[in-house]
Amino acid sequence: MILELKEIEKSFGEKKVLTGVSFKAEGGKAFGLLGRNGAGKTTAIRILMDVFPANSGEVFLDGSPIDYDKVAMGYLPEERGLYPKKIIIDQLTYFAELKGMSKKEAVKSIDYWLERLDMTEYRNRRLDTLSKGNQQKIQLITALAHDPDIIILDEPFSGLDPVNALLLKDVVKEQIAKGKIVLFSSHQMNYIEEFCDSIAILNEGKVVLHGELRDIKRDYPRDRLIIRTETPDKIIADFGTSCTKTEDGDLMLRLTDASEKRTVMTQLVENYDIDEVKVFEPSLNDIFVEFAGDSI
Amino acid sequence: MKQFGKILKFELKYYFKNKVFVGVTVFLVLVIAIVMFFPRFKTFFKPDGAAEELPIMLVKADESTQADMLKQAFTEAFTDYKVQITNEDNSVIKEKITSDEVYCAFVMTSPTTYTYYVNNLSMSDMNTGIASGVLQHIYMMNAMIGSGMAIDQVTDVMNIQVIGEVENLGKNQMENFFYTYIMVFALYMVILLYGQMVATNVATEKSSRAMELLITSAKPTSMMFGKVIASCLAGLIQIAAIFGSALVLYKLNKSYWGDNMIIESIFNIPPELLVYMLVFFILGFLIYAFMYGAVGSTASKLEDINTSVMPITMLFVIAFIVVVFSMSAGNVDNTLMKVCSFIPLTSPMSMFTRIAMSTVSLYEIAISIVILIVSTIGIGFISAKIYRVGVLMYGTTPKISAIIKAIRKA
């Protein structure tokens, strides 16, 4: 399964929210939609889910325009919200039924998920009697109970303690293994880095970076070296301003060209007391700040 | 369609599990039960024979104003009072009235002039009218006797009975007044109450962000129609419960009520009028509930609801006032009512009132109903559009122009 957004444009009144947004997400892999607050992530998700139409552009599934009657989608909105005063099993059943399940199927599936997420004891309680983290888990069930083909999780880890985060990770991995399209939207780069094979970074309504995370990292200019040494001051003195200290005490040496990498590395090892020298590989966080941060 | 059914069921359940909804219904039924059983209790507490103490009416008259004759005439005319002749001072009489010892007093100043003393002049106090009639009667009799007529002759002349018959070709407004009034008032109450409930319901979903999920799970039209029709059904069921229990309770206590014209007329509504009542009730309910729902979706906080729904409520109150004033003026066919009976937002009340209290041709009714149905459906779809746009607008409540713009763009 391949989900593809092509050249999506959207404005609200005079304000242009999305400009030529295109990206592709594949089944069996997790996709990360990144961007700062107000970059247009939620709007893109809403268009993807047919909450409102785009001004132009289209959403494709496996090459043909998506048919919303046939594709089941699960959604965990960033703004969490269910009926606070209603019994949990009642509202979960309602939402699953709205997604087209029969009552019997819905109850069966929900009971499975309550069990899976260790929430069975809350089945007949009112939602507002639960802690925030547990409400979050209930919310997750609304996104998964009807066994959707496409799962959209907006900031799924926010508000979860480490144990629950681990549980959620397992669940998400399970879904990915089942071949579903899992679309993440998050600011928490460590989770995205752990899960997502491909990403798209939105900045001010435009896709500024899109592709396989591995390729993005590989294509990143390999013109920086990380040096761990006992004698940093000496190196700094010799290399001047191109060498800076990083936060964890290592040195970062910026080369004038990536091609002189080998020469410089040999030179370093021969002339200084070096513990370790390696090519700098940016973390997703670095990449994100670089691509999404320029409008600060 | 499948979604619509599920939403309808879910929303209906909301009403029947709502403690306020159930509580109000039970309370109203209880009140009606007390009212209906009241005559039975009254006879229970007052065993036969112990005649009720009649309020005392004093008449102050001297020889020149024929005290004896007055006493007889007043006693005949005021059967609800115990008439007593007095010679006490005016201040003593006033004292007795203010201390509730006696109810009222007529102080004669000449055979044809008097002062009426009463503590609180009630609106239905007809005593002066009756007294004037009695005095006029006595004066005329005296005059006739004085001019030489025989007493028998005078009595014959004065007691002549005029026999007249009324043949009503249209509606009897007097009889229809009460149930029309009850129906219009019920419509008014139910629309205001349920309209608010629909608006609050939508705004609650919005503010609890349950909307985020709903809007991605169901079509806005299904949501809107499901919600509104569920509230309409809940309203009808509530009314049916209240009026149904009233009818049953009345039947149980019928013998104790005697011939109460008003109550009789309420429970004897002609069947075709009941059908019209149902039609206008449902359509009127829906058209307003749609608007309330749409307004609810634009409010960003629950507290804003009251101000947001104000324009609709005002419109509705004006429609209600026009109808009630025309009804009490006894002219339900005035130009304003005629115009109102074709305008969708006012026609449920005004057209029904005209049908009930006057004669309206069938084609006029048909036109009014068709206009109402078409605009109800139209407003239903427009409000679903507003709903879809409105529920995703957080922050300040948007201006009307912004909403219209957003709907056009959507």
Side-chain angles (χ1 to χ4, degrees):
Chain A
M1 253 192 326
I2 296 176
L3 177 74
E4 202 176 355
L5 265 72
K6 272 190 185 160
E7 294 296 322
I8 301 287
E9 306 264 340
K10 179 77 189 174
S11 357
F12 293 119
E14 299 297 307
K15 203 174 152 231
K16 191 136 200 188
V17 183
L18 296 178
T19 320
V21 168
S22 309
F23 58 78
K24 214 196 269 186
E26 275 178 60
K29 285 182 176 177
F31 177 86
L33 184 61
L34 316 178
R36 297 174 52 208
N37 302 324
K41 288 178 309 232
T42 306
T43 307
I45 289 172
R46 283 185 180 153
I47 288 171
L48 174 63
M49 298 199 71
D50 199 28
V51 173
F52 40 65
N55 298 111
S56 67
E58 244 183 301
V59 181
F60 292 91
L61 189 70
D62 293 332
S64 46
I66 191 165
D67 180 355
Y68 288 102
D69 291 333
K70 290 190 183 140
V71 187
M73 291 197 186
Y75 178 44
L76 178 76
E78 184 183 4
E79 296 264 14
R80 312 281 196 257
L82 290 168
Y83 294 102
K85 304 272 176 219
K86 288 195 175 154
I87 304 295
I88 285 169
I89 181 72
D90 288 353
Q91 49 181 318
L92 287 178
T93 314
Y94 176 52
F95 283 112
E97 281 187 278
L98 282 183
K99 299 276 192 181
M101 284 184 123
S102 75
K103 185 157 186 170
K104 227 174 125 189
E105 287 171 336
V107 172
K108 202 178 146 203
S109 168
I110 289 159
D111 280 336
Y112 162 77
W113 279 109
L114 286 170
E115 178 78 47
R116 175 83 177 79
L117 297 176
D118 205 17
M119 297 291 289
T120 309
E121 56 177 308
Y122 303 111
R123 189 182 188 270
N124 296 315
R125 297 262 290 268
R126 259 171 44 176
L127 184 74
D128 56 3
T129 62
L130 269 60
S131 72
K132 213 160 185 190
N134 282 339
Q135 291 194 17
Q136 178 108 316
K137 290 209 256 176
I138 296 296
Q139 185 101 39
L140 184 68
I141 296 178
T142 61
L144 297 171
H146 57 294
D147 197 24
D149 308 307
I150 301 171
I151 301 164
I152 299 169
L153 306 171
D154 204 342
E155 289 293 356
F157 294 99
S158 75
L160 288 184
D161 64 43
V163 178
N164 280 327
L166 208 65
L167 187 61
L168 175 59
K169 273 194 225 170
D170 282 346
V171 168
V172 171
K173 278 180 186 154
E174 220 174 81
Q175 296 295 317
I176 295 171
K178 279 188 185 170
K180 302 192 171 178
I181 297 176
V182 178
L183 196 149
F184 273 100
S185 160
S186 183
H187 310 119
Q188 282 170 291
M189 296 304 153
N190 49 335
Y191 286 114
I192 298 279
E193 202 159 9
E194 188 179 338
F195 277 110
C196 297
D197 305 296
S198 56
I199 58 159
I201 296 181
L202 272 178
N203 192 21
E204 294 185 331
K206 293 188 190 96
V207 176
V208 287
L209 187 68
H210 174 222
E212 296 281 314
L213 190 54
R214 206 181 21 189
D215 296 344
I216 289 170
K217 282 191 175 176
R218 201 186 48 220
D219 294 346
Y220 210 78
R222 303 169 75 80
D223 58 354
R224 271 172 279 183
L225 298 178
I226 294 287
I227 307 155
R228 196 139 55 87
T229 171
E230 299 292 318
T231 56
D233 300 334
K234 204 176 161 205
I235 302 175
I236 291 174
D238 291 353
F239 282 85
T241 50
S242 63
C243 188
T244 47
K245 244 186 190 159
T246 62
E247 280 169 17
D248 44 7
D250 294 344
L251 291 179
M252 173 163 335
L253 181 61
R254 194 178 284 272
L255 307 174
T256 38
D257 194 281
S259 60
E260 57 182 2
K261 186 170 62 189
R262 277 186 67 181
T263 346
V264 177
M265 276 169 113
T266 334
Q267 194 191 336
L268 279 168
V269 175
E270 282 170 2
N271 300 336
Y272 305 94
D273 179 14
I274 300 289
D275 289 342
E276 188 188 0
V277 58
K278 62 177 180 190
V279 177
F280 169 71
E281 279 212 342
S283 69
L284 185 54
N285 207 36
D286 299 320
I287 297 172
F288 180 78
V289 171
E290 181 170 337
F291 281 89
D294 52 11
S295 58
I296 293 172
Chain B
M1 210 46 214
K2 214 172 143 197
Q3 278 188 338
F4 167 76
K6 292 199 169 132
I7 295 164
L8 185 72
K9 222 172 97 192
F10 185 77
E11 295 291 336
L12 258 184
K13 220 166 138 192
Y14 159 81
Y15 284 103
F16 293 123
K17 284 198 167 176
N18 186 324
K19 287 188 191 95
V20 177
F21 177 84
V22 176
V24 167
T25 315
V26 170
F27 176 75
L28 284 176
V29 169
L30 276 178
V31 168
I32 288 172
I34 291 168
V35 171
M36 287 302 175
F37 275 103
F38 189 68
R40 190 189 283 244
F41 290 141
K42 218 164 87 177
T43 48
F44 182 76
F45 285 120
K46 263 197 202 101
D48 296 328
E52 210 175 326
E53 279 286 308
L54 289 173
I56 297 168
M57 173 189 277
L58 292 180
V59 178
K60 185 183 174 188
D62 48 32
E63 264 327 291
S64 68
T65 45
Q66 300 153 305
D68 294 341
M69 202 171 174
L70 272 179
K71 177 167 183 185
Q72 197 195 339
F74 270 59
T75 312
E76 274 169 25
F78 295 102
T79 46
D80 291 342
Y81 294 94
K82 197 173 165 201
V83 179
Q84 289 177 349
I85 295 290
T86 179
N87 270 320
E88 287 158 321
D89 207 47
N90 280 4
S91 56
V92 181
I93 293 172
K94 281 186 208 166
E95 179 79 35
K96 280 185 172 170
I97 290 171
T98 45
S99 65
D100 269 344
E101 200 178 313
V102 299
Y103 179 78
C104 59
F106 283 97
V107 175
M108 307 302 301
T109 44
S110 83
T112 52
T113 54
Y114 63 82
T115 313
Y116 179 59
Y117 292 103
V118 67
N119 200 6
N120 294 306
L121 188 62
S122 89
M123 224 157 67
S124 57
D125 194 328
M126 312 270 215
N127 290 352
T128 52
I130 298 171
S132 300
V134 171
L135 292 173
Q136 205 171 17
H137 198 101
I138 294 171
Y139 186 83
M140 279 154 82
M141 267 171 83
N142 285 340
M144 281 189 256
I145 294 165
S147 69
M149 269 171 93
I151 294 200
D152 291 354
Q153 232 177 335
V154 172
T155 323
D156 281 352
V157 170
M158 294 307 290
N159 289 342
I160 184 80
Q161 293 286 330
V162 179
I163 297 161
E165 263 178 40
V166 178
E167 214 164 291
N168 193 6
L169 302 178
K171 301 272 166 66
N172 183 345
Q173 289 198 347
M174 221 150 64
E175 226 173 66
N176 300 5
F177 184 87
F178 292 103
Y179 60 67
T180 312
Y181 190 82
I182 286 177
M183 144 76 190
V184 169
F185 199 72
L187 186 65
Y188 175 79
M189 288 298 291
V190 168
I191 285 180
L192 279 189
L193 200 74
Y194 280 82
Q196 288 272 0
M197 269 163 112
V198 171
T200 314
N201 183 320
V202 172
T204 312
E205 278 175 358
K206 192 180 166 187
S207 67
S208 74
R209 302 289 194 259
M211 198 54 84
E212 294 270 342
L213 259 189
L214 285 172
I215 202 85
T216 55
S217 309
K219 294 247 171 310
T221 20
S222 309
M223 290 291 312
M224 199 54 158
F225 280 79
K227 262 179 200 308
V228 165
I229 291 173
S231 73
C232 183
L233 283 178
L236 279 177
I237 291 169
Q238 191 177 32
I239 286 189
I242 291 166
F243 279 78
S245 54
L247 185 62
V248 170
L249 289 166
Y250 174 67
K251 286 265 157 79
L252 277 177
N253 296 298
K254 199 167 179 191
S255 54
Y256 294 92
W257 275 94
D259 292 327
N260 193 318
M261 261 257 308
I262 299 170
I263 301 244
E264 269 297 308
S265 82
I266 292 169
F267 291 116
N268 283 323
I269 302 175
E272 77 269 14
L273 206 59
L274 267 180
V275 174
Y276 282 129
M277 182 160 154
L278 204 63
V279 169
F280 282 108
F281 199 97
I282 291 173
L283 290 172
F285 187 100
L286 290 180
I287 201 165
Y288 275 96
F290 278 130
M291 295 201 300
Y292 273 107
V295 167
S297 74
T298 64
S300 36
K301 279 178 288 175
L302 269 180
E303 302 92 273
D304 294 348
I305 283 288
N306 285 331
T307 35
S308 302
V309 298
M310 192 62 102
I312 304 174
T313 309
M314 285 303 282
L315 193 72
F316 187 58
V317 170
I318 290 169
F320 176 71
I321 289 173
V322 167
V323 169
V324 170
F325 268 83
S326 306
M327 271 175 79
S328 9
N331 183 9
V332 292
D333 281 329
N334 58 42
T335 325
L336 190 59
M337 280 291 276
K338 275 187 180 161
V339 173
C340 283
S341 59
F342 291 100
I343 298 172
L345 293 174
T346 52
S347 63
M349 280 193 290
S350 43
M351 191 42 123
F352 175 79
T353 308
R354 285 184 62 204
I355 295 170
M357 293 186 62
S358 153
T359 313
V360 188
S361 61
L362 213 56
Y363 81 93
E364 273 185 278
I365 300 174
I367 290 172
S368 171
I369 291 181
V370 168
I371 292 176
L372 190 57
I373 290 175
V374 171
S375 30
T376 303
I377 295 171
I379 285 188
F381 280 100
I382 291 172
S383 63
K385 275 198 153 187
I386 294 177
Y387 177 83
R388 194 184 69 184
V389 174
V391 289
L392 293 173
M393 286 183 170
Y394 298 124
T396 51
T397 305
K399 289 197 182 103
I400 295 171
S401 59
I403 296 171
I404 293 170
K405 233 178 177 178
I407 295 164
R408 278 220 208 110
K409 292 256 162 76

